[in-house]
Amino acid sequence: MEERISGHTGLLALIGSPVGHSGSPAMYNYSFARLGLDYAYVAFDIKEDQVKDALDAMKLFKMRGCNVTMPDKTEAAKYMDELSPAAQIIGAVNTIVNDDGKLTGYITDGEGFVNNLKDHGIDIRGKKITVAGGGGAATAIQVQCALDGAREITIFNIKDAFFERTLSTAEKIRAAVPGIIVNVYDIADTARMTEEIASSDIFANATIVGMKPMDDQSVVKDPAAFRPGLVVCDAVYNPEETRLLREAKEAGCVCIGGKGMLLWQGVAAFKLYTGMDMPVDEVKEKFFS
């Protein structure tokens, strides 16, 4: 790394909290070095109430951009000069590109989720998916799955400040994709969640449950919801095998961890930052095998 850093090196970063577990710096810095790009990528622990100051600093330091993770995605969207169509619908960003002080926000989480499924031979078209969560990543998954042909989406979220936004998202999805079935329920309704998962092809956790320090917990309270052949995905990637995936695996489910989603959303963000393709096969072998 020290051989690459110069007075001209451009800076990119991940902001969110917590970020100490993130694999993004290693993935991006390897790709920059591999392609001979003069950038360096770091991670900053930024709470929601610090987002505006962080974005002001990004412009001050003339950073090329940053990735945004939980819980900052919705807050960051408020300070963009421009939003991509998907980010506008979702109201959250996970990728920010800085063009001479003009900040454009994108959301690549949904694309990362769907492409991770494809990488495991699973097509979302015609499927019913149940998603736990109503934050930026969860909403991105819901919107992208709808746009890519899912027939039914069931959403479970805590009845908190996000719940009304989740209901609004469901309305936007129905308007954008006529004929799709979208239902929203309280995540505390364990019986309903068990019932919905039982009739789903795919279940996805897009909450922070399972991530440290909640790595001893699962968003699915009743493992009886699992069955052989059900595809269970977790957006959490550290730990690599969450309690959710461990219990799903024991029930014979097809389990997909969050590392692949991180990879594929990163592939899309890398292109936005650099205009170049990330060396996906090499990155996958080095960091995701």
Side-chain angles (χ1 to χ4, degrees), residues 29-77:
N29 286 316
Y30 173 83
S31 298
F32 294 148
R34 181 68 183 81
L35 298 176
L37 297 171
D38 195 9
Y39 288 111
Y41 188 108
V42 295
F44 296 121
D45 195 299
I46 303 293
K47 308 291 193 295
E48 273 184 282
D49 61 357
Q50 299 172 314
V51 168
K52 185 181 184 302
D53 288 341
L55 297 180
D56 286 342
M58 185 171 73
K59 288 192 278 189
L60 178 65
F61 295 148
K62 296 179 172 57
M63 293 170 61
R64 175 57 179 148
C66 70
N67 288 117
V68 186
T69 190
M70 297 179 285
D72 295 347
K73 296 180 181 185
T74 303
E75 185 67 15

Side-chain angles (χ1 to χ4, degrees), residues 5 8 18 25 74 95 130 186 202-203 249:
I5 300 295
H8 300 286
T74 303
T95 302
T130 292
D186 183 355
I202 301 165
F203 172 75
K249 183 178 179 181

Side-chain angles (χ1 to χ4, degrees), residues 124-250:
I124 196 68
R125 285 178 297 180
K127 303 288 174 49
K128 174 179 177 178
I129 179 168
T130 292
V131 182
T139 309
I141 289 169
Q142 293 150 17
V143 169
Q144 196 66 48
C145 286
L147 294 174
D148 286 357
R151 65 176 170 82
E152 185 173 348
I153 300 173
T154 298
I155 304 165
F156 283 89
N157 196 27
I158 299 170
K159 279 206 167 180
D160 61 4
F162 276 126
F163 200 77
E164 285 300 319
R165 206 189 89 181
T166 304
L167 293 172
S168 175
T169 297
E171 286 297 332
K172 289 176 182 177
I173 291 173
R174 293 186 197 105
V177 186
I180 193 169
I181 299 168
V182 186
N183 294 305
V184 180
Y185 301 110
D186 183 355
I187 204 166
D189 190 343
T190 300
R192 172 67 73 174
M193 179 180 274
T194 300
E195 183 181 317
E196 289 298 318
I197 294 174
S199 62
S200 296
D201 302 292
I202 301 165
F203 172 75
N205 172 43
T207 74
I208 59 173
V209 178
M211 183 187 295
K212 295 180 185 298
M214 292 183 284
D215 48 326
D216 61 337
Q217 300 177 40
S218 171
V219 73
V220 176
K221 304 305 179 188
D222 183 3
F226 301 133
R227 69 180 190 280
L230 173 70
V231 177
V232 177
C233 311
D234 204 328
V236 174
Y237 56 86
N238 191 348
E240 191 168 340
E241 186 178 67
T242 58
R243 178 177 172 180
L244 170 73
L245 294 181
R246 188 165 58 252
E247 292 179 347
K249 183 178 179 181
E250 289 169 359

Side-chain angles (χ1 to χ4, degrees), residues 82-92 104-107 143 147:
E82 190 175 325
L83 291 169
S84 70
Q88 207 163 19
I89 292 171
I90 294 163
T104 304
Y106 301 84
I107 189 88
V143 169
L147 294 174

